[in-house]
Amino acid sequence: MIEFGSDFHYVEERGGGKNTLQDFFPSANYYADGRQALIHLYRSQGWQRLWVPEYFCYDVVASLREAGLELRFYTDYPGSNDNENLNLDFRAGDALLRVNYFGTRSYRSPEKMMGPVVEDLTHDLIGDWALRSTADWCIASLRKSLPIPEGGMLWSPVGLRLPEQPALSDENEKIATIRWEAMKLKADYLEGRFADKEAFRKKFTETEEWFDDAEPVAIDKRSMAYLSRFDVMQWQQAKRRNWLLLKDSVHEDFLEPENDDATPFSLILMAKNGEERERIRQQLIKNAVYPAILWHVPDDCCQEVKDVSRRMISIHCDGRYTEDDMKRMATIINEAI
């Protein structure tokens, strides 16, 4: 492995059809991405407004607004007690979106909520919260957590009727094919068989724009076939092993999960301020560790939300990496901080 992070490279299917997502969630709908799942659900239910946490991906917020969703915001961010922030101006026709930030949160009960609850469980797909959920609906962006070029999921833990599964799209099939090609080229690059890094980066970047305003469509056929053979439990266990290795090796503050049952999405370092965060980020990049900033938020968010956004840095440690990879990464991180 010559670099870490950023878009997934191609990973061979693992498990031969055991412990697949379909085994865990047999009645789910599958979409090209997670925001499409949320848009499709919102429209099917006839909701008037959706309450979204201030700490969220604002590229997704822009897509939701472009699709016609009316949004309201409430204060929530990693490390906060979100149950204390849900005294909202909730009215008939509203729904609430809750988020398991970076897979660090424990199960949340929707019991006292005033209306429909949607949970975004992207960052810990088969963790304790996801498997215990009693929310009306759950969504996930599969392409953020699993080595596929696209994918989103919608399911109802309490058995509510889902909107009709969307149809396949020829355009999306073409987009997905290009992204599969990019993943294969990146795998070849990491193995030293392909030298033109810009070739696969361009494929990822240009196709990413398609997701910004695409109408809900079914996940591409190849990704669906891949998921039907992919052992998500094995992937989860590898991610947990890797996170624990980094946790025990890195000498810097990081976001701790609320309990031992959580499997964090990545190692979330918490720098002292934005300037230190940028220094660490640049040093990591110099050593081929490509972290993510999740997420940049607007200036009109509350101070606590802005503070977390300016200090955090997300370092991928998922199942594509080995224990030896993690030891090497820990050395790079410690030298950077």
Side-chain angles (χ1 to χ4, degrees):
M1 184 68 62
I2 59 175
E3 65 178 44
F4 302 92
S6 193
D7 294 289
F8 284 111
H9 62 272
Y10 179 75
V11 176
E12 291 288 344
E13 299 99 327
R14 305 173 181 184
K18 298 179 180 178
N19 300 316
T20 68
L21 271 182
Q22 292 93 323
D23 292 326
F24 285 98
F25 308 107
S27 301
N29 279 3
Y30 289 85
Y31 298 80
D33 74 352
R35 72 189 77 176
Q36 292 183 16
L38 186 54
I39 290 167
H40 200 204
L41 175 65
Y42 181 100
R43 290 173 175 171
S44 74
Q45 298 303 303
W47 294 329
Q48 299 301 307
R49 306 189 302 181
L50 180 68
W51 288 88
V52 176
E54 278 191 294
Y55 193 90
F56 199 57
C57 176
Y58 279 80
D59 288 339
V60 172
V61 166
S63 294
L64 298 179
R65 284 174 165 158
E66 182 68 23
L69 279 64
E70 182 177 346
L71 306 180
R72 292 290 184 271
F73 292 89
Y74 68 96
T75 300
D76 192 21
Y77 54 93
S80 71
N81 183 347
D82 51 322
N83 287 314
E84 295 180 352
N85 300 326
L86 292 174
N87 184 22
L88 309 176
D89 180 23
F90 216 84
R91 67 190 190 196
D94 284 4
L96 174 72
L97 178 68
R98 304 185 84 176
V99 178
N100 182 8
Y101 291 119
F102 314 123
T104 59
R105 286 182 156 175
S106 58
Y107 166 76
R108 267 41 174 179
S109 171
E111 185 177 334
K112 296 182 180 179
M113 298 299 103
M114 298 176 62
V117 175
V118 185
E119 295 173 346
D120 183 344
L121 304 178
T122 294
H123 289 159
D124 194 7
L125 287 172
I126 57 168
D128 181 60
W129 183 353
L131 298 184
R132 291 177 57 198
S133 175
T134 54
D136 300 283
W137 315 95
C138 295
I139 61 165
S141 180
L142 304 180
R143 68 196 185 101
K144 303 299 184 183
S145 297
L146 300 177
I148 52 177
E150 67 171 39
M153 190 167 66
L154 167 67
W155 71 101
S156 173
V158 294
L160 297 180
R161 184 172 181 173
L162 301 179
E164 185 176 350
Q165 170 71 39
L168 292 167
S169 157
D170 289 342
E171 182 181 13
N172 181 52
E173 292 292 324
K174 293 175 183 176
I175 293 291
T177 296
I178 295 170
R179 293 178 70 83
W180 277 114
E181 291 170 355
M183 292 173 67
K184 186 62 170 64
L185 287 176
K186 183 172 182 179
D188 289 343
Y189 168 78
L190 294 174
E191 294 297 327
R193 298 189 297 267
F194 181 75
D196 187 1
K197 184 175 182 178
E198 288 305 310
F200 65 80
R201 289 186 63 191
K202 183 178 181 181
K203 288 177 182 287
F204 280 128
T205 301
E206 291 182 350
T207 54
E208 184 66 28
E209 296 174 0
W210 180 84
F211 296 100
D212 291 342
D213 55 9
E215 284 294 301
V217 297
I219 189 173
D220 72 286
K221 289 182 284 188
R222 184 174 175 182
S223 292
M224 196 68 216
Y226 185 97
L227 290 175
S228 71
R229 300 186 296 267
F230 188 80
D231 188 332
V232 291
M233 179 65 77
Q234 187 182 102
W235 183 264
Q236 178 97 338
Q237 290 169 343
K239 181 170 67 169
R240 181 171 181 80
R241 175 204 68 205
N242 290 343
W243 185 85
L244 288 171
L245 280 168
L246 284 184
K247 168 185 176 293
D248 292 339
S249 304
V250 171
H251 315 307
E252 178 63 280
D253 288 339
F254 56 89
L255 188 65
E256 291 268 16
E258 293 179 351
N259 62 41
D260 293 336
D261 294 324
T263 299
F265 170 73
S266 59
L267 186 74
I268 306 295
L269 296 183
M270 298 302 297
K272 294 181 177 62
N273 51 51
E275 291 75 17
E276 182 183 70
R277 193 268 300 279
E278 185 58 19
R279 179 188 63 76
I280 293 171
R281 189 180 77 87
Q282 291 298 333
Q283 190 62 33
L284 290 173
I285 291 172
K286 286 180 183 178
N287 288 279
V289 175
Y290 296 94
I293 305 301
L294 305 173
W295 297 277
H296 297 289
V297 302
D299 288 337
D300 59 358
C301 289
C302 76
Q303 187 58 47
E304 292 86 355
V305 168
K306 291 190 291 186
D307 180 66
V308 173
S309 174
R310 290 167 181 167
R311 294 170 54 214
M312 73 80 62
I313 188 166
S314 172
I315 300 176
H316 301 85
C317 59
D318 49 67
R320 67 187 124 159
Y321 304 118
T322 66
E323 292 183 57
D324 287 342
D325 290 333
M326 289 301 97
K327 292 174 184 177
R328 179 183 170 194
M329 185 190 287
T331 299
I332 294 172
I333 295 171
N334 285 327
E335 289 175 351
I337 60 181

